[in-house]
């Protein structure tokens, strides 16, 4: 309940140095400088009022029921919302609209528009998210190619688009005269050592320029735009408020810097940040509709659907996006949200398809189609890839969290620009000599997933051809040529580089997704294993394991399929996704027959990774940053009671309470100024300690300030009462202040003997902020969400003070 965001005697946020906290590794000042206008001025309208006391020596009660009190019923920054209260408000609003709809035609039209507003909002989110994703894809593709050269026909064309109108042959399609490398442009030729060095230099310079521009924009305009955004979105969807995290400045800067970060060649992806971008779109568009603008719980339903739209445009997988939102990020996901998520994901995917950013009528760069069936014995290498994915996931999470913790606790965190500069320089210098690390990670994955055809000119497809045995488009398993062996060495080096450089890249102060780097690691490992299996089957087709299903000259092994299974295994090992991951990969390939290999690899990687460490990368970052997130998937198995966790403890001062009708305005203001709690229990009297209700600090401050300004006769000695009728007082007493309307008359209570297992379940399933503890009907103490999280941390032998927020 400690609430350091309040200035004494006011409801404005503090801007002191003590309120500088770490969000996703960035040191930020949590002042009221919001990206979007705070909801405090509008959310209370229609829900609250206050009542006054008597005047002129008589206790005449004054009611201002028609006058809404702005700010009451809203939440301060870095607080948890009250899910129960928000849902109750929405039901009251819905009942009022339904009852009025029978009175007039206009009211009926209003009722219909209110019911339709959710679908209209989903349509707008899908259109905006799809459009931004298309813009990001096109820009990133162009800027990635800009590091290697420029198109003479138009500098805005990327390499592929530049060569579309060229008359070159299919095998020389990448060497059209319209596209010139930097050495050709500056020196007039592209061959020789000096030309290579110049191209190398230009590649590094462009990479440094893009990454420095990205980190400076993030640092200067929107510190919340760094990182993936998924850990924070999970926390926000659980009911936590981080003002500005989903605001317009964050959206603008994240969109621009995501293009720059991806184009710089850093080992990161755009898929995770696209979820953040889509949620920003959802949050901003919520302001157009009163029902979502004024209700934090309803808004979180919209954000769940927006997250689905984000994954839909990231992978071209609408169904996978809905399942990702359900499995990975959402805290509260009713059936209505499922339908709306599906609609938003559908519209987003349709919009991106209309834009056609890659010019291939596909939604992603690495869409593939396999035609060859797999054999049951191939499950063994698929499961081996699952084990590799689990081991890599556990290794990555531990290493990355250790590095991020070091960044937060040492001087390293004070120099984000220098860190980005150094990591980019190392990445670019190591990446250029190897063609598989020089190309964008999405193109690398596309090449690794590719099933070699007759016209493929990639090194990975340089087999020793025997065209006499070719049947149609299907090529038989062939002996690997020198190009394949060269590609294997280069891929092995690329694997080592990607494994280690990604650890230091994820969590820097630029937008950075983890989906694509994880998939790249798995795809490289899978392709290496696939080629090894292919050559084994070719040279040893008479072995017992191959003899039944792989005869000489047949096309038995598909190395691209191994790459895809490896990509799924590594992504599953890092994020611990299962169902949504398999569906996303299935939508990428369009082949139902490969679901079993994908399921086997995804489950194996999850089991192996869970055996080493229970947390996925996003949950680990939530814990590292101390966000108040109660994980619904974990079971509470300890035998503690509510009295072991509640405050005050045995040697603590007594619980701070407010009496229902005997305290003055000055008494209440003294309590507010001397404590930092975000709410106070209201009791009949200090002697009886019989519970009446619970009142929020913020509501008290706003109500008293408004009463002093607008109600005559309210002074420091005025009595505050929370009952229906004013208490009897001498005729000469000043006016009284009635605050029953801000009192929660049904706070959740448990007895002191309630097992903590049940208390934790109540907090998870109802989304409570606090719970009062009673004994024989008398108030004993209070348990807040922060107390529950600290208790769980203590039982897990972790530092309870790592829970930073209220």
């Amino acid at each position: 309940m400690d609430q350091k965001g309040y200035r004494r005697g006011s409801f404005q946020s503090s801007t002191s140095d003590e309120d500088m906290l770490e969000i996703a590794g960035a040191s930020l000042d949590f002042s009221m400088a919001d990206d979007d206008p705070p909801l405090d001025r509008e959310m209370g309208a229609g829900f609250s009022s206050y009542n006054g006391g008597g005047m002129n020596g008589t206790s005449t009660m004054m009611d201002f029921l028609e006058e809404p009190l702005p700010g009451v019923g809203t939440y301060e920054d870095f607080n948890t919302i009250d899910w129960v209260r928000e849902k109750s408000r929405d039901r009251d609003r819905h009942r009022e609209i339904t009852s009025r709809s029978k009175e007039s035609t206009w009211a009926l039209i209003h009722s219909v528009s209110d019911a339709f507003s959710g679908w209209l909002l989903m349509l707008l989110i899908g259109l905006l998210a799809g459009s931004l994703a298309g813009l990001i894809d096109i820009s990133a593709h162009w800027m990635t190619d800009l590091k290697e050269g420029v198109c003479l026909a138009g500098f805005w064309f990327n390499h592929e688009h530049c060569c579309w109108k060229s008359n070159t042959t299919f095998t020389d399609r990448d060497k059209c005269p319209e596209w010139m490398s930097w050495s050709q442009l500056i020196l007039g030729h592209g061959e020789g050592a000096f030309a290579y060095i110049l191209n190398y230099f230009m590649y590094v310079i462009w990479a440094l320029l893009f990454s420095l521009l990205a980190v400076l924009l993030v640092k200067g305009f929107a510190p919340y735009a760094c990182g993936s955004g998924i850990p924070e979105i999970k926390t926000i969807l659980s009911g936590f408020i981080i003002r500005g995290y989903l605001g317009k400045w964050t959206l603008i800067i994240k969109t621009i810097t995501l293009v720059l970060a991806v184009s710089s060649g850093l080992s990161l992806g755009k898929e995770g940040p696209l979820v953040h971008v889509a949620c920003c779109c959802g949050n901003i568009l919520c302001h157009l509709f009163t029902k979502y603008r004024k209700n934090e719980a309803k808004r979180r339903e919209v954000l769940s659907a927006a997250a689905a739209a984000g994954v839909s445009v990231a992978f071209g997988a609408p169904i996978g996006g809905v399942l990702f939102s359900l499995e990975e990020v959402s805290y509260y996901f009713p059936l209505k949200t499922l339908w709306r998520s599906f609609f938003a994901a559908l519209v987003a995917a349709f919009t991106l398809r209309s834009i056609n950013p890659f010019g291939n009528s596909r939604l992603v760069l690495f869409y593939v189609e396999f035609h060859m069936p797999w054999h049951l014995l191939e499950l063994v290498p698929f499961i081996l890839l699952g084990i590799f994915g689990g081991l890599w996931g556990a290794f990555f999470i531990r290493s990355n969290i250790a590095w991020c913790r070091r960044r937060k606790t040492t001087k390293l965190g004070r120099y984000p620009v220098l860190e980005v500069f150094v990591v980019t320089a190392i990445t670019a210098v190591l990446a250029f000599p190897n063609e598989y690390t020089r190309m964008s990670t999405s193109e690398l994955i596309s090449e690794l997933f590719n099933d070699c055809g007759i016209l493929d000119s990639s090194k990975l497809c340089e087999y020793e051809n025997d065209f006499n045995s070719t049947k149609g488009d299907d090529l038989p398993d062939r002996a690997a040529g020198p190009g394949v062996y060269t590609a294997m060495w280069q891929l092995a080096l690329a694997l080592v580089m990607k494994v280690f450089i990604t650890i230091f890249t994820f969590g820097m102060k630029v937008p950075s997704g983890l989906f694509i780097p994880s998939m790249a690691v798995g795809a490289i490992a899978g392709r290496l294993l696939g080629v090894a299996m292919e050559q084994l089957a070719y040279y040893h087709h008479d072995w017992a394991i191959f003899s039944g299903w792989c005869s000489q000259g047949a096309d038995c092994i598909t190395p691209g399929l191994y790459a895809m299974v490896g990509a799924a295994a590594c992504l599953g090992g890092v994020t611990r996704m299962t169902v949504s991951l398999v569906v996303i990969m299935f939508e990428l390939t369009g082949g139902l027959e490969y679901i079993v290999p994908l399921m086997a690899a995804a489950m194996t990687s999850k089991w192996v990774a869970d055996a080493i460490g229970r947390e996925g990368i996003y949950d680990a970052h939530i814990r590292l940053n101390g966000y108040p997130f109660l994980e619904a998937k974990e079971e509470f198995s300890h035998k503690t009671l509510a009295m072991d966790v509640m405050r005050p403890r045995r040697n603590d001062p007594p619980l701070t309470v407010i009496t229902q009708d005997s305290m003055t305005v000055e008494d209440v203001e003294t309590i507010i100024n001397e404590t930092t709690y975000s709410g106070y229990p209201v009791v009949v009297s200090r002697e009886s300690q019989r519970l009446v209700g619970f009142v929020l600090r913020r509501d008290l401050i706003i109500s008293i300030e408004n009463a002093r300004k607008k109600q005559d006769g309210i002074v420091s000695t005025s009595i505050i009462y929370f009952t229906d009728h004013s208490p009897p007082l001498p005729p000469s007493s000043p006016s009284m202040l009635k605050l029953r309307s801000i009192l929660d008359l049904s706070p959740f209570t448990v007895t002191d003997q309630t097992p903590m297992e049940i208390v934790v379940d109540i907090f998870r399933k109802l989304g409570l902020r606090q719970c009062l503890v009673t004994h024989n009907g008398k108030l004993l103490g209070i348990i807040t969400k922060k107390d529950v999280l600290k208790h769980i941390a203590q039982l897990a032998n972790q530092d309870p003070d790592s829970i930073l927020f209220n």
Side-chain angles (χ1 to χ4, degrees):
M1 295 287 289
D2 294 342
Q3 194 51 280
K4 296 181 182 175
Y6 295 105
R7 187 175 294 146
R8 299 193 184 282
S10 168
F11 62 89
Q12 298 294 318
S13 287
S14 169
T15 52
S16 66
D17 291 337
E18 288 79 28
D19 290 327
M20 296 283 285
L21 297 173
E22 283 270 312
I23 293 279
S27 199
L28 306 172
D29 185 359
F30 296 155
S31 64
M32 286 290 285
D34 297 343
D35 272 347
D36 49 347
L39 309 179
D40 310 349
R41 305 290 174 267
E42 55 200 8
M43 275 189 60
F47 291 120
S48 51
S49 57
Y50 71 88
N51 306 313
M55 298 172 62
N56 300 327
T58 60
S59 294
T60 309
M61 192 167 68
M62 296 182 63
D63 287 340
F64 297 102
L65 290 170
E66 291 80 19
E67 184 181 339
L69 201 55
V72 168
T74 61
Y75 306 96
E76 189 55 278
D77 207 358
F78 303 102
N79 267 243
T80 303
I81 71 167
D82 190 331
W83 285 91
V84 176
R85 183 168 71 167
E86 295 297 307
K87 295 304 291 180
S88 174
R89 279 179 175 179
D90 187 60
R91 281 194 296 271
D92 292 342
R93 184 197 62 81
H94 187 68
R95 272 195 293 266
E96 186 182 350
I97 289 174
T98 306
S99 63
R100 284 183 181 176
S101 66
K102 300 168 186 174
E103 297 171 3
S104 68
T105 308
W106 175 250
L108 180 64
I109 292 170
H110 179 249
S111 173
V112 172
S113 68
D114 180 77
F116 180 68
S117 63
W119 295 101
L120 178 60
L121 181 55
M122 293 303 120
L123 176 69
L124 294 174
I125 289 170
L127 290 170
L128 185 55
S131 303
L132 286 175
L135 177 68
I136 289 168
D137 285 338
I138 292 167
S139 306
H141 203 172
W142 169 66
M143 291 176 70
T144 300
D145 288 347
L146 194 62
K147 292 185 300 189
E148 298 187 33
V150 69
C151 184
L152 298 181
F155 73 92
W156 55 87
F157 289 122
N158 62 40
H159 194 168
E160 185 180 353
H161 292 174
C162 186
C163 295
W164 272 356
K165 295 180 181 177
S166 177
N167 295 322
T168 52
T169 60
F170 186 82
T171 51
D172 293 331
R173 62 190 181 278
D174 291 336
K175 300 173 184 174
C176 62
E178 290 85 357
W179 180 265
M180 296 191 76
S181 67
W182 291 110
S183 62
Q184 288 173 323
L185 197 66
I186 297 168
L187 300 176
H189 63 88
E191 304 298 326
F194 191 63
Y196 180 83
I197 292 168
L198 181 61
N199 284 333
Y200 201 150
F201 177 76
M202 291 301 294
Y203 181 92
V204 174
I205 289 296
W206 278 112
L208 289 172
L209 179 67
F210 291 156
S211 64
L212 282 176
L213 194 54
V215 71
L216 290 172
L217 283 172
V218 167
K219 189 181 178 188
F221 294 97
Y224 285 148
C226 69
S228 149
I230 292 179
E232 286 75 20
I233 286 165
K234 280 188 76 168
T235 310
I236 289 169
L237 289 178
S238 76
F240 196 55
I241 291 177
I242 308 177
R243 297 229 185 273
Y245 197 84
L246 301 175
K248 60 181 179 295
W249 271 111
T250 305
L251 173 63
I252 293 166
I253 297 300
K254 186 122 190 176
T255 303
I256 295 168
T257 55
L258 181 54
V259 173
L260 291 166
V262 170
S263 306
S264 68
L266 286 166
S267 185
L268 48 81
K270 62 181 183 296
E271 280 64 19
L274 274 175
V275 175
H276 188 183
V277 166
C279 286
C280 287
C281 296
N283 184 59
I284 291 165
L285 291 170
C286 276
H287 288 273
L288 302 176
F289 301 88
T290 309
K291 119 170 136 175
Y292 296 106
R293 184 174 73 242
K294 293 184 177 180
N295 193 295
E296 293 286 355
K298 294 295 288 179
R299 185 184 301 209
R300 274 150 182 76
E301 292 179 23
V302 173
L303 296 180
S304 291
V311 174
S312 172
V313 292
F315 289 103
I319 303 170
V322 175
L323 290 173
F324 173 83
S325 180
L326 174 61
E327 180 184 0
E328 191 63 26
V329 296
S330 292
Y331 194 83
Y332 174 67
F333 203 84
L335 190 60
K336 186 167 59 176
T337 305
L338 180 72
W339 301 333
R340 288 181 176 171
S341 298
F342 184 75
F343 180 63
L346 172 71
V347 173
F350 175 77
T351 306
L352 187 62
R353 171 67 182 79
S354 304
I355 295 170
N356 194 15
F358 302 109
N360 59 359
S361 300
R362 303 295 184 192
L363 300 182
V364 287
L365 192 59
F366 43 85
Y367 182 92
V368 287
E369 286 182 343
F370 300 129
H371 304 290
M372 293 305 300
W374 59 279
H375 193 268
L376 191 63
L377 286 171
E378 287 185 279
L379 273 180
V380 175
F382 293 152
I383 288 171
L384 286 176
L385 285 172
I387 293 170
F388 171 79
L391 292 172
W392 143 251
F395 166 74
F396 174 81
I397 291 168
R398 289 199 175 184
S399 306
N400 180 252
I401 292 297
W403 178 251
C404 289
R405 185 174 287 115
R406 184 176 181 81
R407 182 190 288 130
K408 288 167 75 75
T409 55
T410 62
K411 290 183 179 179
L412 181 68
R414 299 179 195 171
Y415 307 104
V417 178
L418 180 63
E419 183 189 9
V420 170
F421 181 87
V422 171
V423 172
T424 307
I426 292 170
T427 305
V429 168
L430 293 177
F432 187 83
N434 187 339
E435 65 177 281
Y436 292 110
T437 49
R438 188 190 318 160
M439 66 175 67
S440 76
T441 316
S442 294
E443 288 176 354
L444 171 63
I445 293 171
S446 177
E447 186 144 326
L448 293 168
F449 280 9
N450 184 40
D451 189 19
C452 289
I454 297 172
L455 297 174
D456 277 310
S457 57
S458 165
K459 272 190 198 173
L460 283 168
C461 297
E462 282 189 21
Y463 290 91
E464 294 177 2
N465 286 313
D466 177 12
F467 289 108
N468 295 325
S469 61
T470 303
K471 301 168 189 172
D473 289 334
D474 292 332
L475 293 173
D477 287 345
R478 299 159 290 164
V484 175
Y485 288 116
T486 305
M488 292 299 101
W489 278 109
Q490 288 180 327
L491 283 175
L493 292 172
L495 178 63
V496 173
M497 178 190 161
K498 292 278 183 190
V499 162
F500 289 101
I501 206 76
T502 309
I503 291 167
F504 302 101
T505 306
F506 187 69
M508 290 198 307
K509 304 305 176 288
V510 291
S512 53
L514 195 56
F515 284 26
I516 289 295
S518 301
M519 287 177 69
V521 168
I524 294 171
R527 188 77 187 206
L528 292 171
L529 182 61
V531 172
M533 285 291 293
E534 183 186 46
Q535 295 306 299
L536 199 64
Y538 176 77
Y539 286 110
H540 303 284
H541 55 84
D542 52 344
W543 281 10
I545 56 170
F546 298 120
S547 59
W549 58 283
C550 190
S551 58
Q552 189 170 12
D555 184 13
C556 310
I557 308 289
T558 308
L561 174 61
Y562 284 73
M564 190 183 75
V565 171
C570 281
L571 185 53
V574 170
T575 62
R576 310 299 160 84
M577 294 191 300
T578 50
V579 181
S580 54
L581 172 62
V582 170
V583 173
I584 287 170
M585 299 305 290
F586 151 63
E587 289 186 86
L588 278 179
T589 56
L592 271 170
E593 60 190 303
Y594 304 116
I595 280 186
V596 173
L598 289 170
M599 288 175 72
M603 282 311 304
T604 307
S605 72
K606 179 172 171 58
W607 286 334
V608 171
D610 280 350
I612 301 170
R614 294 288 297 173
E615 290 178 321
I617 186 67
Y618 301 129
D619 294 328
H621 272 272
I622 285 171
R623 188 163 58 82
L624 177 71
N625 290 318
Y627 298 140
F629 182 77
L630 259 178
E631 180 55 70
K633 300 168 191 170
E634 293 178 5
E635 290 185 13
F636 186 87
S637 56
H638 302 278
K639 293 184 178 180
T640 49
L641 301 175
M643 62 185 298
D644 302 324
V645 182
M646 73 174 193
R647 288 184 294 165
R649 306 282 163 78
R650 283 184 178 174
N651 297 322
D652 290 351
L655 186 67
T656 304
V657 295
I658 294 174
T659 56
Q660 68 174 359
D661 57 6
S662 60
M663 295 182 74
T664 63
V665 170
E666 186 178 21
D667 295 336
V668 173
E669 287 181 331
T670 302
I671 287 175
I672 289 170
N673 289 334
E674 290 180 355
T675 61
T676 55
Y677 307 130
S678 61
Y680 306 94
V682 176
V683 294
V684 173
S685 66
R686 292 188 187 277
E687 293 76 29
S688 73
Q689 290 290 308
R690 275 178 49 219
L691 183 65
V692 176
F694 191 84
V695 63
L696 293 177
R697 171 198 185 93
R698 177 178 175 79
D699 294 356
L700 271 176
I701 293 170
I702 294 171
S703 300
I704 292 171
E705 283 186 358
N706 271 270
R708 282 186 181 278
K709 290 176 187 173
K710 298 180 181 178
Q711 187 177 334
D712 292 333
I714 297 298
V715 293
S716 296
T717 53
S718 298
I719 294 292
I720 291 178
Y721 66 100
F722 296 91
T723 52
D724 274 326
H725 305 289
S726 58
L729 290 174
S732 58
S733 302
S735 300
M736 291 182 288
L737 178 59
K738 182 178 180 180
L739 295 181
R740 187 173 179 83
S741 60
I742 65 168
L743 180 67
D744 179 7
L745 290 165
S746 55
F748 270 85
T749 58
V750 294
T751 68
D752 54 340
Q753 296 300 309
T754 306
M756 273 306 293
E757 188 178 359
I758 294 174
V759 174
V760 170
D761 231 20
I762 291 172
F763 269 90
R764 278 178 181 155
K765 291 178 178 175
L766 294 178
L768 297 185
R769 302 177 80 194
Q770 69 276 319
C771 179
L772 299 173
V773 183
T774 60
H775 177 74
N776 292 341
K778 290 186 176 182
L779 180 66
L780 270 190
I782 188 168
I783 299 174
T784 65
K785 189 175 183 180
K786 189 174 180 180
D787 295 327
V788 173
L789 287 161
K790 284 191 169 188
H791 183 61
I792 292 172
Q794 275 180 320
L795 294 174
N797 296 319
Q798 296 164 3
D799 178 16
D801 293 325
S802 64
I803 310 298
L804 297 177
F805 300 108
N806 183 9

